[in-house]
Amino acid sequence: MKKILSVIITVCICLWSQGALAEDSSATQTTTSATSGEQKPAQQKEMGPSVADQSTSEGVSTTGRQQTEAGDPVSEEELTEENEVVTIADPMKSWNTAMYHVNDKFYFWLLKPASQGYSAVVPEDIRLSVSNFFKNLTTPIRFVSSLLQLKIKKAGNELVRFVYNSTAGIGGLADVAKTDLDIKRHEEDLGQTFGHYGIGHGFYIVWPILGPSSLRDTVGMVGDWFLDPVYYVNPLEASLGISAYDRVNETSFYIGDYEDLKKSAIDPYVSIRDAYTQNRKKKVEE
């Protein structure tokens, strides 16, 4: 495991300069696009019905206000924030595309069949208990990340959840903190912590087996490993086996989601990349 961590860290450091250059290039392209976008309204006047005209007929006014089904106005600024597309530099696209195909085959040839067989044998209630157990076990990741972001209430909630679930929940097998105390789990990790303090993604990278990530989130993931008690299980084979079992158990709840994404996407690679960046942006802002 330590060798794997060192390799990942070395690769990240070597590629940092490439990511920085790519970000500069992306910023330049964004500025150019914004400049050219200012000329579009004048061009639309010379054309037939504009997009704005079509939107007006569907309930969007020319003053930039939209009526919801309940009749409440939504500002154009709010609409822009909701529809904002998050971009990420992708200087390693050749590598990432290759790893995307590796992970795709890994899912269909190994992970999915194993998860389907597992779910056919193990009842859902037991699988849910196993999921609760592993989520309770990784409390240090969420607790430390919340503290570093000065989210004191969330950190306190995680501590209460851990103590209550570990005792009343029989070692975390039941999420009684949620049912009895109405204290829900909040997803936090070190990658989100870096994002909270304004550290950008750097660039997009797809790791074999581990899936999509970024330079920032990869560094955070390494830190998360050190906060995960499973990392300290010896021998290494046992630690990897426990992590693999957790992965199979968790995948058993989501079989079909990846297939639906592939079917609905024009370019699955781009769709997964965009979904990843949007999801991480949402989590950082929560």
Side-chain angles (χ1 to χ4, degrees), residues 173-202:
L173 293 175
D175 192 356
V176 289
K178 179 180 178 181
T179 56
D180 296 351
L181 306 179
D182 195 29
I183 301 178
K184 299 179 181 180
R185 184 183 72 256
H186 295 280
E187 296 296 337
E188 296 288 349
D189 56 52
L190 292 180
Q192 291 173 232
T193 302
F194 295 146
H196 176 78
Y197 288 104
I199 299 177
H201 278 290

Side-chain angles (χ1 to χ4, degrees), residues 145-209:
S145 298
S146 296
L147 277 182
L148 291 176
Q149 296 177 60
L150 302 181
K151 297 179 179 179
I152 307 303
K153 183 177 180 180
K154 285 187 177 181
N157 286 343
E158 285 298 329
L159 186 59
V160 172
R161 279 178 52 84
F162 178 74
V163 173
Y164 194 71
N165 284 340
S166 298
T167 53
I170 314 176
L173 293 175
D175 192 356
V176 289
K178 179 180 178 181
T179 56
D180 296 351
L181 306 179
D182 195 29
I183 301 178
K184 299 179 181 180
R185 184 183 72 256
H186 295 280
E187 296 296 337
E188 296 288 349
D189 56 52
L190 292 180
Q192 291 173 232
T193 302
F194 295 146
H196 176 78
Y197 288 104
I199 299 177
H201 278 290
F203 56 86
Y204 183 65
I205 183 169
V206 180
W207 293 107
I209 311 301

Side-chain angles (χ1 to χ4, degrees), residues 102-130:
V102 168
N103 292 338
D104 183 78
K105 296 299 184 290
F106 170 74
Y107 173 78
F108 283 109
W109 292 356
L110 185 59
L111 184 58
K112 181 179 179 179
S115 299
Q116 286 178 321
Y118 172 74
S119 62
V121 175
V122 181
E124 184 176 356
D125 290 343
I126 296 180
R127 289 186 283 124
L128 183 59
S129 295
V130 171

Side-chain angles (χ1 to χ4, degrees), residues 1-275:
M1 179 65 74
K2 294 181 179 179
K3 292 182 178 179
I4 295 175
L5 293 179
S6 63
V7 169
I8 291 177
I9 294 173
T10 303
V11 171
C12 291
I13 294 175
C14 292
L15 297 173
W16 175 264
S17 58
Q18 297 181 20
L21 292 174
E23 281 190 324
D24 293 340
S25 176
S26 298
T28 303
Q29 293 176 1
T30 302
T31 304
T32 304
S33 299
T35 304
S36 61
E38 295 176 355
Q39 302 174 356
K40 289 185 179 179
Q43 296 175 355
Q44 289 178 349
K45 293 181 180 178
E46 300 176 359
M47 299 175 65
S50 65
V51 175
D53 295 332
Q54 296 174 8
S55 299
T56 303
S57 64
E58 296 175 0
V60 181
S61 67
T62 55
T63 58
R65 311 285 291 186
Q66 180 181 18
Q67 295 292 333
T68 64
E69 293 180 358
D72 297 328
V74 180
S75 68
E76 185 176 1
E77 182 179 353
E78 291 174 345
L79 289 173
T80 302
E81 290 178 356
E82 290 179 358
N83 298 325
E84 182 182 356
V85 177
V86 182
T87 58
I88 184 172
D90 194 1
M92 299 175 57
K93 190 171 183 179
S94 297
W95 161 273
N96 291 338
T97 302
M99 291 305 102
Y100 158 74
H101 289 295
V102 168
N103 292 338
D104 183 78
K105 296 299 184 290
F106 170 74
Y107 173 78
F108 283 109
W109 292 356
L110 185 59
L111 184 58
K112 181 179 179 179
S115 299
Q116 286 178 321
Y118 172 74
S119 62
V121 175
V122 181
E124 184 176 356
D125 290 343
I126 296 180
R127 289 186 283 124
L128 183 59
S129 295
V130 171
S131 179
N132 289 334
F133 172 79
F134 279 109
K135 286 182 173 63
N136 189 63
L137 199 62
T138 55
T139 295
I141 298 175
R142 298 186 298 274
F143 176 73
V144 171
S145 298
S146 296
L147 277 182
L148 291 176
Q149 296 177 60
L150 302 181
K151 297 179 179 179
I152 307 303
K153 183 177 180 180
K154 285 187 177 181
N157 286 343
E158 285 298 329
L159 186 59
V160 172
R161 279 178 52 84
F162 178 74
V163 173
Y164 194 71
N165 284 340
S166 298
T167 53
I170 314 176
L173 293 175
D175 192 356
V176 289
K178 179 180 178 181
T179 56
D180 296 351
L181 306 179
D182 195 29
I183 301 178
K184 299 179 181 180
R185 184 183 72 256
H186 295 280
E187 296 296 337
E188 296 288 349
D189 56 52
L190 292 180
Q192 291 173 232
T193 302
F194 295 146
H196 176 78
Y197 288 104
I199 299 177
H201 278 290
F203 56 86
Y204 183 65
I205 183 169
V206 180
W207 293 107
I209 311 301
L210 300 177
S213 185
S214 66
L215 180 60
R216 180 196 72 193
D217 290 343
T218 296
V219 175
M221 178 174 59
V222 172
D224 291 340
W225 284 345
F226 285 105
L227 293 173
D228 188 349
V230 175
Y231 172 78
Y232 299 96
V233 174
N234 287 314
L236 175 61
E237 292 77 7
S239 177
L240 294 176
I242 294 172
S243 297
Y245 174 62
D246 180 27
R247 179 79 174 271
V248 170
N249 184 78
E250 202 65 26
T251 302
S252 68
F253 295 105
Y254 303 102
I255 294 175
D257 291 358
Y258 176 65
E259 292 86 335
D260 292 340
L261 175 61
K262 286 193 67 177
K263 289 179 181 178
S264 61
I266 298 176
D267 186 339
Y269 170 81
V270 174
S271 296
I272 292 174
R273 184 186 63 193
D274 292 345

